[in-house]
Amino acid sequence: MAARPPNRAKIKGSMEYQLWKKGVKIECFEDLICDYMNLYDIKKALQKDIKSRGVAYDAMSASGYTITKQNQSVKDLVAVGKQMLLILDKLGLTTSEILPESDKDEL
């Protein structure tokens, strides 16, 4: 059985916790977390579209012929992923600084 991916609340909470442990409590960083979570929602919608329609799909051309079109969601998903990584970078949240779960007991 595959592990379930973390949900939206857990991801947001984890980001807030990591910043808290760094002693960061700045509103613009909190706003960046909100931006990250909005991108997370967009990412999920794009993934759903790709799963539904595939990386390419058949459509009707203006002249009435069936044509195969590339799903724009594939390109958009890459762009969203890059933007999410940029936000993590700006927040200073990297895998080299992730705090172990045992440290969460201090909250």
Side-chain angles (χ1 to χ4, degrees), residues 1-86:
M1 178 179 223
R4 289 183 53 185
N7 65 28
R8 190 180 197 285
K10 284 185 178 181
I11 292 170
K12 184 177 184 213
S14 174
M15 292 173 74
E16 291 169 339
Y17 174 75
Q18 294 296 322
L19 289 178
W20 176 81
K21 287 295 277 185
K22 290 178 161 213
V24 176
K25 182 69 174 163
I26 302 173
E27 287 184 14
C28 66
F29 285 173
E30 293 171 5
D31 188 52
L32 279 175
I33 290 174
C34 289
D35 290 346
Y36 183 91
M37 296 316 299
N38 287 332
L39 288 168
Y40 174 83
D41 294 338
I42 292 168
K43 178 184 90 164
K44 290 299 182 187
L46 291 169
Q47 289 172 332
K48 184 177 179 182
D49 179 60
I50 294 167
K51 187 174 183 176
S52 170
R53 293 193 301 162
V55 295
Y57 60 94
D58 290 335
M60 192 65 64
S61 71
S63 57
Y65 294 102
T66 301
I67 58 172
T68 301
K69 294 181 84 173
Q70 297 298 315
N71 188 343
Q72 182 64 37
S73 293
V74 175
K75 289 181 182 178
D76 292 345
L77 181 60
V78 172
V80 166
K82 286 181 181 179
Q83 192 63 35
M84 291 174 79
L85 288 172
L86 282 173

Side-chain angles (χ1 to χ4, degrees), residues 85-104:
L85 288 172
L86 282 173
I87 289 173
L88 291 176
D89 184 55
K90 292 301 178 192
L91 292 173
L93 301 178
T94 65
T95 55
S96 64
E97 297 178 10
I98 297 296
L99 301 166
E101 287 290 321
S102 62
D103 286 351
K104 288 188 178 184

